[in-house]
Amino acid sequence: MPAQDDSIDATVVMRVSVRDLLPRDLPACTWSGSATHLRQVERELARAAAGEVDYLAFCTPVDLPVAIGGIDYQVSPGAGTLWQLAVLPALQSRGLGTLLVRAAERRIGHRGLRRAELAVEENNPRARALYERLGYVAHGREPDAWDEERPDGSIRRHETMCVLMRKGL
Protein backbone atom coordinates (compact mmCIF):
# COMPACT_ATOMS: atom_id res chain seq x y z
CA MET A 1 0.00 0.00 0.00
CA PRO A 2 1.49 3.43 -0.97
CA ALA A 3 2.39 5.88 1.79
CA GLN A 4 -0.28 8.42 2.45
CA ASP A 5 0.72 12.08 2.04
CA ASP A 6 -0.77 13.97 4.98
CA SER A 7 0.92 17.28 4.18
CA ILE A 8 -1.24 20.34 3.94
CA ASP A 9 -0.39 23.61 2.24
CA ALA A 10 -1.76 26.58 4.09
CA THR A 11 -1.23 30.29 4.40
CA VAL A 12 -1.00 31.55 7.94
CA VAL A 13 -1.53 35.24 8.66
CA MET A 14 -0.19 36.54 11.93
CA ARG A 15 -0.51 40.01 13.38
CA VAL A 16 2.73 41.59 14.62
CA SER A 17 3.25 44.73 16.64
CA VAL A 18 6.31 46.90 17.10
CA ARG A 19 7.63 48.06 20.44
CA ASP A 20 10.92 48.71 22.17
CA LEU A 21 13.07 45.64 22.77
CA LEU A 22 13.38 44.97 26.51
CA PRO A 23 15.99 43.07 28.51
CA ARG A 24 13.36 40.45 29.36
CA ASP A 25 13.07 39.68 25.60
CA LEU A 26 16.67 38.56 25.20
CA PRO A 27 16.17 34.88 26.17
CA ALA A 28 13.62 34.64 23.32
CA CYS A 29 16.08 36.18 20.82
CA THR A 30 18.71 33.42 20.70
CA TRP A 31 17.87 33.01 17.00
CA SER A 32 19.44 36.44 16.36
CA GLY A 33 22.95 35.47 17.47
CA SER A 34 25.21 33.91 20.02
CA ALA A 35 25.38 34.59 23.76
CA THR A 36 28.18 37.06 22.99
CA HIS A 37 25.89 38.89 20.55
CA LEU A 38 23.03 38.99 23.05
CA ARG A 39 25.33 40.45 25.71
CA GLN A 40 26.16 43.21 23.21
CA VAL A 41 22.45 43.80 22.58
CA GLU A 42 21.93 44.02 26.35
CA ARG A 43 24.61 46.73 26.54
CA GLU A 44 22.86 48.60 23.72
CA LEU A 45 19.60 48.48 25.68
CA ALA A 46 21.36 50.44 28.43
CA ARG A 47 22.22 53.05 25.78
CA ALA A 48 18.52 53.04 24.75
CA ALA A 49 17.58 54.01 28.29
CA ALA A 50 19.92 57.00 27.89
CA GLY A 51 18.24 58.01 24.59
CA GLU A 52 21.34 57.34 22.45
CA VAL A 53 19.73 54.48 20.52
CA ASP A 54 16.37 52.87 19.87
CA TYR A 55 16.13 49.08 19.73
CA LEU A 56 12.92 47.78 18.15
CA ALA A 57 11.16 44.43 18.38
CA PHE A 58 8.40 43.11 16.13
CA CYS A 59 6.39 40.71 18.26
CA THR A 60 3.71 38.06 17.77
CA PRO A 61 0.38 38.25 19.61
CA VAL A 62 1.98 36.27 22.48
CA ASP A 63 4.69 38.97 22.66
CA LEU A 64 7.59 36.92 21.24
CA PRO A 65 10.10 38.93 19.17
CA VAL A 66 10.44 37.69 15.58
CA ALA A 67 12.40 40.67 14.19
CA ILE A 68 14.72 43.08 16.01
CA GLY A 69 16.98 45.96 15.11
CA GLY A 70 18.70 49.02 16.43
CA ILE A 71 19.00 52.67 15.46
CA ASP A 72 22.08 54.51 16.70
CA TYR A 73 21.81 58.31 16.84
CA GLN A 74 25.46 58.86 17.82
CA VAL A 75 27.23 57.54 14.68
CA SER A 76 26.50 60.21 12.09
CA PRO A 77 25.31 63.79 12.74
CA GLY A 78 21.82 64.38 11.38
CA ALA A 79 21.12 60.69 10.78
CA GLY A 80 19.92 57.54 12.45
CA THR A 81 22.12 54.55 11.70
CA LEU A 82 20.32 51.22 11.43
CA TRP A 83 22.26 48.22 12.68
CA GLN A 84 21.91 44.70 14.06
CA LEU A 85 18.77 44.09 11.98
CA ALA A 86 17.63 40.47 12.24
CA VAL A 87 14.54 38.43 11.38
CA LEU A 88 13.76 34.97 12.75
CA PRO A 89 15.17 32.70 10.00
CA ALA A 90 11.91 30.75 9.53
CA LEU A 91 10.11 34.05 8.80
CA GLN A 92 12.62 35.66 6.45
CA SER A 93 11.36 36.79 3.03
CA ARG A 94 7.88 37.39 4.46
CA GLY A 95 8.03 41.20 4.71
CA LEU A 96 9.22 41.55 8.31
CA GLY A 97 12.54 43.09 7.25
CA THR A 98 10.65 45.72 5.28
CA LEU A 99 8.41 46.45 8.26
CA LEU A 100 11.45 46.68 10.56
CA VAL A 101 13.27 49.16 8.31
CA ARG A 102 10.15 51.29 7.86
CA ALA A 103 9.50 51.38 11.61
CA ALA A 104 13.13 52.42 12.17
CA GLU A 105 12.77 55.19 9.59
CA ARG A 106 9.65 56.45 11.39
CA ARG A 107 11.57 56.55 14.67
CA ILE A 108 14.36 58.51 12.99
CA GLY A 109 11.84 60.95 11.53
CA HIS A 110 10.15 61.43 14.91
CA ARG A 111 13.50 62.69 16.20
CA GLY A 112 13.51 65.35 13.47
CA LEU A 113 16.30 63.69 11.50
CA ARG A 114 16.12 63.59 7.70
CA ARG A 115 18.48 60.71 6.84
CA ALA A 116 18.81 57.00 7.57
CA GLU A 117 22.10 55.16 7.09
CA LEU A 118 23.27 51.57 7.34
CA ALA A 119 26.11 49.29 6.39
CA VAL A 120 25.58 45.90 4.78
CA GLU A 121 28.20 43.22 4.28
CA GLU A 122 29.28 42.90 0.67
CA ASN A 123 28.66 39.15 0.85
CA ASN A 124 24.98 39.65 1.79
CA PRO A 125 23.28 40.40 -1.55
CA ARG A 126 19.77 39.55 -0.25
CA ALA A 127 19.94 42.23 2.42
CA ARG A 128 21.45 44.75 0.02
CA ALA A 129 18.66 44.08 -2.49
CA LEU A 130 16.08 44.74 0.25
CA TYR A 131 17.70 48.04 1.20
CA GLU A 132 17.93 49.13 -2.45
CA ARG A 133 14.27 48.21 -2.97
CA LEU A 134 13.47 50.46 0.02
CA GLY A 135 15.33 53.41 -1.51
CA TYR A 136 18.80 53.14 0.03
CA VAL A 137 21.72 54.15 -2.18
CA ALA A 138 25.33 52.99 -1.83
CA HIS A 139 27.78 55.81 -1.18
CA GLY A 140 30.97 54.06 -0.08
CA ARG A 141 32.68 51.07 1.46
CA GLU A 142 34.47 50.50 4.73
CA PRO A 143 35.85 47.58 6.69
CA ASP A 144 34.09 46.44 9.84
CA ALA A 145 34.83 43.82 12.48
CA TRP A 146 33.23 42.28 15.54
CA ASP A 147 33.68 39.33 17.85
CA GLU A 148 31.76 36.16 17.04
CA GLU A 149 31.20 33.23 19.34
CA ARG A 150 31.80 29.79 17.84
CA PRO A 151 29.68 26.77 18.81
CA ASP A 152 32.47 25.60 21.14
CA GLY A 153 32.29 28.94 23.02
CA SER A 154 35.57 30.32 21.68
CA ILE A 155 35.63 33.86 20.30
CA ARG A 156 37.00 34.84 16.90
CA ARG A 157 37.22 38.22 15.25
CA HIS A 158 34.99 38.48 12.16
CA GLU A 159 36.39 40.95 9.63
CA THR A 160 34.39 42.03 6.62
CA MET A 161 33.90 44.76 4.05
CA CYS A 162 30.62 46.68 4.15
CA VAL A 163 28.78 48.80 1.64
CA LEU A 164 27.60 52.08 3.20
CA MET A 165 24.07 53.05 2.22
CA ARG A 166 21.81 55.99 2.98
CA LYS A 167 18.35 57.31 2.29
CA GLY A 168 16.78 60.72 2.66
CA LEU A 169 13.61 60.70 4.72
Side-chain angles (χ1 to χ4, degrees), residues 62-86:
V62 294
D63 209 31
L64 287 174
V66 293
I68 62 174
I71 311 154
D72 194 322
Y73 301 104
Q74 306 296 305
V75 175
S76 182
T81 301
L82 285 63
W83 97 119
Q84 295 184 345
L85 304 177

Side-chain angles (χ1 to χ4, degrees), residues 53-166:
V53 304
D54 281 325
Y55 217 109
L56 306 178
F58 270 84
C59 298
T60 67
V62 294
D63 209 31
L64 287 174
V66 293
I68 62 174
I71 311 154
D72 194 322
Y73 301 104
Q74 306 296 305
V75 175
S76 182
T81 301
L82 285 63
W83 97 119
Q84 295 184 345
L85 304 177
V87 173
L88 179 72
L91 296 178
Q92 290 177 356
S93 298
R94 304 287 188 269
L96 286 170
T98 297
L99 291 173
L100 181 59
V101 171
R102 288 184 176 153
E105 291 170 350
R106 281 192 300 278
R107 287 282 182 104
I108 293 166
H110 288 319
R111 287 201 178 211
L113 302 174
R114 308 297 302 154
R115 192 173 71 251
E117 298 182 347
L118 57 85
V120 60
E121 287 186 84
E122 285 184 336
N123 64 357
N124 191 348
R126 282 184 67 213
R128 182 172 177 176
L130 167 66
Y131 303 138
E132 288 174 342
R133 184 173 53 78
L134 294 175
Y136 286 80
V137 177
H139 67 90
R141 299 170 67 230
E142 76 178 14
D144 199 356
W146 55 86
D147 290 336
E148 285 185 333
E149 185 175 339
R150 293 180 174 165
D152 67 2
S154 65
I155 304 294
R156 78 168 189 87
R157 191 74 174 160
H158 176 80
E159 296 183 8
T160 189
M161 183 61 71
C162 291
V163 175
L164 304 176
M165 304 184 82
R166 65 179 161 219

Side-chain angles (χ1 to χ4, degrees), residues 1 9 15 70 76-77 80 104:
M1 183 159 124
D9 285 333
R15 184 173 298 277
S76 182

